[in-house]
Amino acid sequence: MIESTDLPFDRLADACRQIHDRSPAAEADPLVLECSRRLLADPGGEQAHVGVGALVAMSGYLAWRPGPTAERAALDALRAAAKALGERPCSHDRHPYESEMDALEDEIWAGDTGLLDELPSGAADFDAERVLCPGNVAGWARLAQDVIAPFTVRRIPAGAPRYHRSNINILSGIVNDYPYDDPHEVLTDEAGCLPSRPTRGVAAGFLVTMNATCWYAASERITDRSVPEAMVKGVEEAVASLPDGPCAHGPDEHPDTDDPDHASRVGYLLRSPGGRAEMAEDHGWDEEDEEDEAAGAADEDEPLDAWVCPAFLRDLAEETLATLKDALKGFETAEDGEGSEGPPSS
């Protein structure tokens, strides 16, 4: 066990780099807690970039199943750093974290942020001064906070990754019944795209997408039973990844998913900080307003955080599975009918 309290901050950060989504809590939580404690003690200090970079490096773990105390500590520290650093004047037109946002297709950072010595791949055109700019460090803190707890932070640049935007267009064609590509291939690929340990936003987006497209998979337009079978398998795996816990919403606060075109778009916007910022922009969030502790504009009839509510998603998944399994029964009935045909009578 690493005695994290005895490590200099830079060596503590090196240890944090080894934490990933499959790290055991006994190994990860002490590092999260110690890193968060040091960052919270001086969120605008000279080493704040190290603390933020270390927590971003552990975001795969923090977005999966961290201990509740470690999760809260990390969020508090990231929020404090974003506030302290984000209030400082900055003359830059853009920052490296914005260039990296297009790579957040599954919300897990494969590379570095540049905050722990090495420049990120997308920051080749930025110098070290801009990488360590308080505005850039604050930006990374906001992104990490939003990945861990979607819709709890504002002032994130709006815009889904290009790959997500492309998929929104493809799915729009399918749910509006003028597909550009073979729907059998598209829906099968969609059903198999969930990471083994998805973030809250990615799991929610996947389940919303499956619901938006299940009617098409259950229609006569789909002639291969492997399509609804793959979707059933994907939905069941996604439900198994949802965290436990009570629903914090009122009876009328869960989203309406009756419009498949709107839902298929939301399904991909939910999967990235930039996409969720686009949803917030659509809902009239004020970018200048600071972080909303109520998680998603409490004055909305349908608060945005309801889209990632496990209770809502379980109900949505149940509806999706019922539709898909009915479709599979239809395939079985058709196959039975074909098999029961006897030879023509003489």
Side-chain angles (χ1 to χ4, degrees):
M1 176 65 66
I2 297 174
E3 293 296 334
S4 58
T5 55
D6 297 331
L7 291 175
F9 210 170
D10 57 346
R11 289 192 56 201
L12 174 63
D14 286 340
C16 293
R17 281 171 157 168
Q18 309 308 311
I19 300 301
H20 51 81
D21 59 343
R22 296 184 180 275
S23 295
E27 176 185 351
D29 279 4
L31 290 171
V32 172
L33 289 168
E34 180 62 16
C35 184
S36 300
R37 182 188 68 79
R38 295 193 195 187
L39 179 58
L40 193 57
D42 192 11
E46 291 185 359
Q47 289 194 301
H49 67 282
V50 178
V52 170
L55 290 173
V56 171
M58 294 188 288
S59 61
Y61 170 77
L62 287 165
W64 177 239
R65 297 283 174 84
T69 303
E71 179 182 8
R72 175 46 54 193
L75 289 172
D76 287 346
L78 289 166
R79 184 178 295 110
K83 181 174 177 58
L85 298 169
E87 291 177 345
R88 303 210 182 142
C90 171
S91 60
H92 300 133
D93 56 346
R94 63 192 183 103
H95 293 103
Y97 83 91
E98 296 173 85
S99 299
E100 289 290 293
M101 288 180 65
D102 198 58
L104 298 183
E105 292 174 4
D106 62 3
E107 297 202 312
I108 302 301
W109 287 283
D112 204 338
T113 60
L115 303 180
L116 302 178
D117 298 332
E118 296 181 4
L119 288 177
S121 57
D125 297 332
F126 295 101
D127 55 29
E129 184 271 335
R130 195 173 296 214
V131 169
L132 298 179
C133 168
N136 186 57
V137 182
W140 278 113
R142 293 190 193 100
L143 292 186
Q145 184 185 335
D146 189 65
V147 167
I148 299 165
F151 299 116
T152 59
V153 62
R154 304 187 181 184
R155 296 175 62 190
I156 289 174
R162 285 188 292 271
Y163 175 72
H164 288 181
R165 185 68 58 194
S166 173
N167 284 352
I168 288 172
N169 292 333
I170 291 171
L171 290 178
S172 178
I174 290 175
V175 299
N176 284 293
D177 211 11
Y178 53 87
Y180 305 113
D181 302 279
D182 182 356
H184 295 75
E185 294 182 6
V186 172
L187 295 181
T188 300
D189 289 346
E190 286 293 325
C193 75
L194 188 72
S196 60
R197 297 202 167 188
T199 66
R200 290 181 64 192
V202 168
F206 176 86
L207 287 170
V208 171
T209 297
M210 291 293 99
N211 182 261
T213 55
C214 69
W215 72 269
Y216 194 100
S219 72
E220 71 281 357
R221 300 160 182 81
I222 296 298
T223 58
D224 187 340
R225 66 174 296 148
S226 68
V227 175
E229 284 177 340
M231 293 176 71
V232 166
K233 182 174 183 290
V235 171
E236 290 176 341
E237 290 176 352
V239 171
S241 77
L242 296 176
D244 297 323
C247 176
H249 304 104
D252 299 322
E253 289 188 326
H254 283 162
D256 180 353
T257 57
D258 289 343
D259 180 353
D261 194 33
H262 173 68
S264 65
R265 174 176 177 265
V266 169
Y268 265 97
L269 294 183
L270 284 167
R271 304 185 200 201
S272 69
R276 291 191 291 271
E278 189 171 329
M279 290 177 65
E281 200 173 72
D282 291 344
H283 278 244
W285 276 23
D286 183 356
E287 280 194 6
E288 296 306 314
D289 202 3
E290 278 301 320
E291 289 80 1
D292 183 359
E293 296 292 341
D299 57 342
E300 292 286 346
D301 291 337
E302 293 178 358
L304 287 176
D305 75 318
W307 282 102
V308 297
C309 170
F312 160 70
L313 294 170
R314 285 193 176 90
D315 288 344
L316 195 68
E318 185 177 334
E319 175 187 307
T320 306
L321 289 172
T323 299
L324 294 171
K325 289 179 179 179
D326 279 348
L328 288 173
K329 289 178 183 176
F331 277 104
E332 292 168 3
T333 300
E335 290 166 359
D336 290 344
E338 292 173 1
S340 64
E341 293 179 3
S345 58
S346 58

